[in-house]
């Protein structure tokens, strides 16, 4: 469904992506982990050309979206994105935020757009908040509206850029629960995350990025319990052995519970 081939991104002399190769298959949830500055978010934003790659291929469902004859706006309808900081329009209510792209980009009628938006809100458990404004919602609810806005367009792939990093700890799980439900429904997802327990429990595969490349990839068990690269062992070791405070303790609790969050 999504393939990156020798993807590169440079800012002047700074090489952020140095040849990323990655495949995401239909109905697969792939989590991308790695240290700050490893290129994770830049890679994700290149997948729908919010960042323009310097070189390489981005292939969505067989179409190389780097070709000059590709309609980027059409591509973005097929590649949904959920951001760190919600990016909701404060002057629009929840329904207005979700129907905006449906009406302006997909040219749906008001009634059809609202029906689709209500269905998307029901999926994230917020049908009762359709008339609320972003300022009246918690951070977790705002992020769930962001997810509803993405899935309302019925994309082929959903991209998540650290979807819980701006949330208070007690609000994180409500967003992760929605993402788990989307996975169970067969949504194809590429998720940049620092939530190691979520990656361990929910991902089909985990990608470890370091220095602008994919340093290691495998199943959650392979990456977290038997990493092959020293850099991967060092990174995940802080979580596996509980040396990173709350996250380490949470992952130990997850493993002790038999791998179910």
């Amino acid at each position: 469904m999504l393939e990156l081939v020798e993807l590169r991104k440079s800012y002047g002399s700074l090489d952020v992506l140095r040849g990323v190769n990655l495949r995401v298959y239909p109905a697969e949830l792939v989590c991308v982990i790695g240290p700050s500055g490893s290129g994770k978010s830049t890679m994700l934003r290149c997948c729908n050309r919010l960042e323009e790659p310097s070189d390489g291929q981005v292939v969505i469902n067989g179409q190389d979206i780097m070709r000059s004859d590709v309609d980027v706006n059409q591509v973005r309808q097929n590649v949904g994105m959920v951001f760190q900081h919600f990016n909701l329009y404060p002057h629009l209510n929840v329904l207005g935020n979700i129907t905006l792209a449906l009406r302006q980009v997909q040219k749906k009628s008001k009634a059809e757009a609202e029906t689709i938006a209500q269905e998307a809100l029901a999926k994230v458990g917020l049908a009762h908040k359709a008339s609320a404004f972003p300022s009246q919602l918690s951070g977790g609810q705002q992020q769930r509206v962001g997810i509803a806005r993405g899935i309302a367009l019925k994309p082929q792939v959903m991209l998540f850029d650290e979807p819980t990093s701006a949330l208070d700890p007690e609000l994180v799980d409500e967003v992760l629960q929605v993402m788990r439900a989307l996975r169970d429904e067969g949504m194809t997802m590429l998720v940049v995350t620092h939530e190691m327990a979520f990656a361990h429990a929910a991902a089909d595969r985990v990608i470890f990025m370091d220095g602008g490349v994919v340093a290691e990839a495998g199943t959650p068990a392979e990456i977290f319990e038997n990493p092959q690269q020293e850099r991967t062992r060092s990174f995940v070791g802080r979580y596996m052995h509980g040396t990173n405070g709350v996250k380490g303790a949470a992952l130990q609790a997850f493993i002790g519970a038999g791998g179910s969050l």
Side-chain angles (χ1 to χ4, degrees):
M1 188 62 74
L2 169 65
E3 183 175 13
L4 307 180
V5 182
E6 287 298 313
L7 188 69
R8 299 176 185 273
K9 177 64 179 179
S10 300
Y11 299 96
S13 61
L14 177 62
D15 296 327
V16 178
L17 301 178
R18 300 187 297 112
V20 173
N21 293 285
L22 172 64
R23 286 181 176 178
V24 181
Y25 296 95
E28 189 176 37
L29 192 162
V30 175
C31 283
V32 183
I33 63 172
S36 297
S38 60
K40 304 184 302 297
S41 290
T42 299
M43 178 271 294
L44 199 74
R45 292 170 68 87
C46 284
C47 290
N48 64 357
R49 291 180 58 181
L50 284 177
E51 290 278 359
E52 281 294 333
S54 302
D55 198 9
Q57 291 179 290
V58 180
V59 183
I60 305 292
N61 199 20
Q63 180 186 38
D64 182 1
I65 68 170
M66 296 304 300
R67 288 175 43 179
S68 59
D69 60 344
V70 166
D71 183 342
V72 176
N73 289 326
Q74 181 64 45
V75 165
R76 289 177 182 153
Q77 293 183 54
N78 294 324
V79 185
M81 183 128 188
V82 177
F83 300 89
Q84 268 184 346
H85 297 289
F86 322 139
N87 289 4
L88 300 180
Y89 292 104
H91 64 290
L92 296 178
N93 65 16
V94 165
L95 200 64
N97 267 279
I98 298 173
T99 59
L100 184 64
L102 290 167
R103 296 181 65 186
Q104 292 193 358
V105 179
Q106 294 192 345
K107 307 303 181 183
K108 306 287 188 187
S109 69
K110 182 174 185 290
E112 186 180 7
E114 289 185 353
T115 297
I116 293 170
Q118 290 284 9
E119 291 172 354
L121 282 172
K123 282 191 174 185
V124 301
L126 289 176
H128 62 296
K129 293 291 187 179
S131 61
F133 285 84
S135 62
Q136 299 171 309
L137 303 177
S138 70
Q141 289 172 330
Q142 290 185 60
Q143 190 59 292
R144 285 152 64 193
V145 172
I147 294 173
R149 178 177 57 187
I151 64 176
L153 294 170
K154 296 181 170 55
Q156 296 171 328
V157 181
M158 280 288 288
L159 309 175
F160 293 81
D161 187 11
E162 296 278 15
T164 61
S165 66
L167 300 178
D168 293 332
E170 63 269 20
L171 300 176
V172 167
D173 197 56
E174 67 182 73
V175 174
L176 298 183
Q177 291 282 9
V178 169
M179 294 172 66
R180 281 192 284 266
L182 291 175
R183 175 204 61 184
D184 293 342
E185 291 178 8
M187 175 67 75
T188 305
M189 293 185 281
L190 182 61
V191 183
V192 170
T193 184
H194 64 276
E195 295 291 340
M196 298 296 111
F198 173 73
H200 200 305
D204 295 295
R205 281 188 298 128
V206 176
I207 306 297
F208 175 66
M209 283 188 67
D210 189 36
V213 298
V214 173
E216 190 165 353
T219 66
E222 288 169 340
I223 295 299
F224 286 102
E225 296 163 34
N226 190 32
Q228 300 301 301
Q229 304 296 323
E230 177 57 37
R231 187 68 184 91
T232 315
R233 285 194 291 271
S234 174
F235 183 81
V236 303
R238 292 175 294 162
Y239 297 91
M240 295 302 292
H241 300 299
T243 58
N244 200 46
V246 174
K247 289 190 181 72
L251 186 52
Q252 288 288 4
F254 152 70
I255 295 169
S260 177
L261 287 179

